[in-house]
Amino acid sequence: MSKAVIVSFARTPIGKFRGGLSHLTAPQLGAAAINGALSRLDIVPTIAEAYMGNVLSAGIGQAPCRQAVLGAGLPKSTICNTINKVCASGMKAIMLAAQTVECNAHNSSSDVPVAMLAGGMESMSNTPHYLPSSRSGTALGHTQLIDGIIHDGLWDPYDDVHMGICAEKCAAEYNITREDQDRYAIESYKRAREAAELGSFDDDIVAVEGPKKRGKSNDPPDMITTDEEPNSAKLDKLPSLRAAFQKKGTVTAGNASSINDGAAATIIMDEAQAISMGLTPLARIRGYADAEGPPVQFTTAPSNAVPIAVERAGMTIQDVEYHEINEAFSVVALANMMILNLDMAKVNVFGGAVSLGHPIGMSGARIVGNLYQVLKS
């Protein structure tokens, strides 16, 4: 079986909600990340197929992945797939690309090396509100606008609650306090800031044009080169924020992830073919896994998936030096560290979604890139 390797990774800066990247659609952000990943290669292989995560697709137009791929200038013959697995979308895209390489799906009748493109993209700033009654009409009285971000990105439709309520249930089950979550969030911000100051993200981030300057049409836009979230928080104020989902709750806007825009892309191919082309693999994909349970318990799904992925890689969890766990909420990382008995010093070393931001469809791919940089350093 072919061995899948990552030969390139790039991402846009992560923009704040209605911030510096809000003038760009998700496919435009995706195209920027794709071009960034391709530009890092001295020899560019043929991209046979693309998988891009995207969760909030309403209003974007048909086939968001294809829009990003063609927007990046890739051939119209490139096979395109949009993946929606909520916060895991970008990571699932990478898993599917790795499987395609391992199955040798695109090399059966040709010796020409080919590669897969995988990543994720999201513009939460451009997600529209919905007017469900407009199709059938409102006969009398008021009608309601539905927030697409909450409805399609942040709401548990099975238990009919905001995912923040799921986080509160997790905190109660594992006896994780408000103070525990605030301390974790502050540490996440400190790690992200330190990583940025040390240039740990410099090799990953591709500069993106900011919005046109008002009243200065001839002036070129500023280039956005850094994440907007890490330095925006006032850490001394974080412990005083109100609970966001329950009156006496523990989850706040400060210890939860934020709403953001951004995109990330990887190039994945067979290891032997990459080396034969003169490309140096960044990392080998040794194992991966999915795990699911009751939707309200999505918070602890990583603790079920990690042991499976480790076993498939032919390793034990003690062999793993560093971990990345998506910080949808601080309590998610804390609970999974507790269950898996992980050392916090080895988890989310460069910060996570709480401090860097969480463009939902992008984050899974960003996590893979972050982990590569941690291992490299």
Side-chain angles (χ1 to χ4, degrees), residues 18 48 87 89 102 111 120 155 204 213 235 273 280 291 298 310 323 358:
R18 300 177 68 185
C87 302
S89 300
E102 290 165 352
D111 294 327
W155 198 264
D204 292 347
K213 297 178 180 179
L235 300 187
Q273 288 193 349
T280 302
F298 83 91
V310 169
H323 293 259
H358 187 16

Side-chain angles (χ1 to χ4, degrees), residues 21-237:
L21 299 181
S22 61
H23 63 295
L24 298 171
T25 66
Q28 288 171 331
L29 291 167
I34 293 167
N35 277 325
L38 294 172
S39 70
R40 283 153 169 73
L41 297 174
D42 294 329
I43 304 170
V44 179
T46 299
I47 305 297
E49 190 163 5
Y51 301 87
M52 290 291 284
N54 181 246
V55 180
L56 304 173
S57 298
I60 291 177
Q62 283 188 345
C65 176
R66 187 159 177 80
Q67 289 185 50
V69 165
L70 297 187
L74 290 174
K76 294 178 181 178
S77 58
T78 308
I79 300 167
C80 299
N81 308 276
T82 303
I83 309 301
N84 184 349
K85 196 174 172 66
V86 202
C87 302
S89 300
M91 190 176 292
K92 186 63 178 179
I94 291 174
M95 291 164 61
L96 290 168
Q99 288 176 342
T100 304
V101 168
E102 290 165 352
C103 293
N104 200 31
H106 291 287
N107 285 307
S108 57
S109 60
S110 173
D111 294 327
V112 178
V114 298
M116 305 300 119
L117 165 69
M121 55 193 180
E122 206 74 73
S123 177
M124 300 181 80
S125 294
N126 285 304
T127 303
H129 288 76
Y130 311 149
L131 189 62
S133 63
S134 65
R135 187 71 65 185
S136 57
T138 302
L140 181 67
H142 304 294
T143 189
Q144 183 182 27
L145 284 174
I146 303 297
D147 188 331
I149 295 175
I150 295 175
H151 187 270
D152 288 342
L154 307 178
W155 198 264
D156 171 1
Y158 313 98
D159 300 279
D160 196 26
V161 294
H162 194 290
M163 294 176 81
I165 298 297
C166 305
E168 289 285 9
K169 291 178 181 292
C170 179
E173 180 177 355
Y174 291 94
N175 196 29
I176 297 171
T177 67
R178 161 72 185 268
E179 291 72 25
D180 293 333
Q181 294 172 64
D182 285 347
R183 278 194 298 271
Y184 180 90
I186 290 169
E187 178 63 20
S188 181
Y189 274 100
K190 288 180 177 178
R191 290 181 180 188
R193 290 175 180 181
E194 181 181 10
E197 289 170 3
L198 294 173
S200 301
F201 304 132
D202 291 354
D203 290 342
D204 292 347
I205 293 179
V206 55
V208 177
E209 279 193 359
K212 291 182 179 179
K213 297 178 180 179
R214 293 181 179 178
K216 299 179 180 179
S217 58
N218 294 326
D219 289 353
D222 292 331
M223 299 303 292
I224 299 174
T225 59
T226 58
D227 299 320
E228 294 183 335
E229 182 62 34
N231 290 315
S232 68
K234 296 179 180 179
L235 300 187
D236 59 326
K237 303 292 185 184

Side-chain angles (χ1 to χ4, degrees), residues 9-14 33 201 204-206 227 263-264 362 366 370:
F9 171 81
R11 69 173 178 88
T12 69
I14 298 175
F201 304 132
D204 292 347
I205 293 179
V206 55
D227 299 320
M362 171 205 188
R366 191 271 305 161
N370 257 37

